[in-house]
Amino acid sequence: MNSDLNEVFERLARSSFRRRFHLRAAEREYLERKGLDAVMSHGEKFIEEGLAPANPPNDGKQTPMRNHPIFVAQHGTATCCRGCLEKWHSIPKGHALTTEEKAYILSVLRRWLISQGAA
């Protein structure tokens, strides 16, 4: 796991695929209406269900590309599937995510959402 978020975000910024993810108006409005803490709570649930198992069902296809700020953030930060977690964040596949790894993912998502204007 790469604990230097500045380095991770610098690498993500060099990816033309990751750079193209931004909150659309509906997702931004949802984030403003619900608030960052509530959206992060949703993110906690999404990670627990979709990423935390050792072998998540439909891994690589389980995270939608839009319609919730967390989903967009997951693609923008390469925290969308176990393959991306391994490649971008050095979190290996094949084991259930630890509490520390889940907290790290949430911190990455929070930072990305804040960079998109979340308060």
Side-chain angles (χ1 to χ4, degrees), residues 13 15 17 25 27-28 37 41 45-46 51 58 64-65 68 73 79-80 82 86 92 100 107 113:
S15 166
F17 179 75
E27 295 148 351
R28 187 177 304 284
D37 289 340
S41 178
K45 181 179 180 217
F46 297 153
L51 286 179
N58 302 317
M65 297 282 234
H68 194 286
T79 58
C80 45
R82 294 304 292 268
E86 187 170 68
E100 181 184 36
S107 71
L113 289 169

Side-chain angles (χ1 to χ4, degrees), residues 35-92:
L36 183 57
D37 289 340
V39 168
M40 291 305 302
S41 178
H42 301 163
E44 202 171 335
K45 181 179 180 217
F46 297 153
I47 289 165
E48 194 62 48
E49 294 172 358
L51 286 179
N55 296 296
N58 302 317
D59 193 33
K61 299 177 182 79
Q62 78 269 38
T63 306
M65 297 282 234
R66 59 181 65 107
N67 297 328
H68 194 286
I70 290 291
F71 297 152
V72 181
Q74 284 184 273
H75 289 290
T77 61
T79 58
C80 45
C81 68
R82 294 304 292 268
C84 289
L85 283 174
E86 187 170 68
K87 175 182 175 181
W88 288 88
H89 301 279
S90 303
I91 299 175

Side-chain angles (χ1 to χ4, degrees), residues 97-109:
L97 293 177
T98 65
T99 301
E100 181 184 36
E101 289 166 337
K102 290 184 271 189
Y104 165 81
I105 294 165
L106 288 168
S107 71
V108 170
L109 295 172

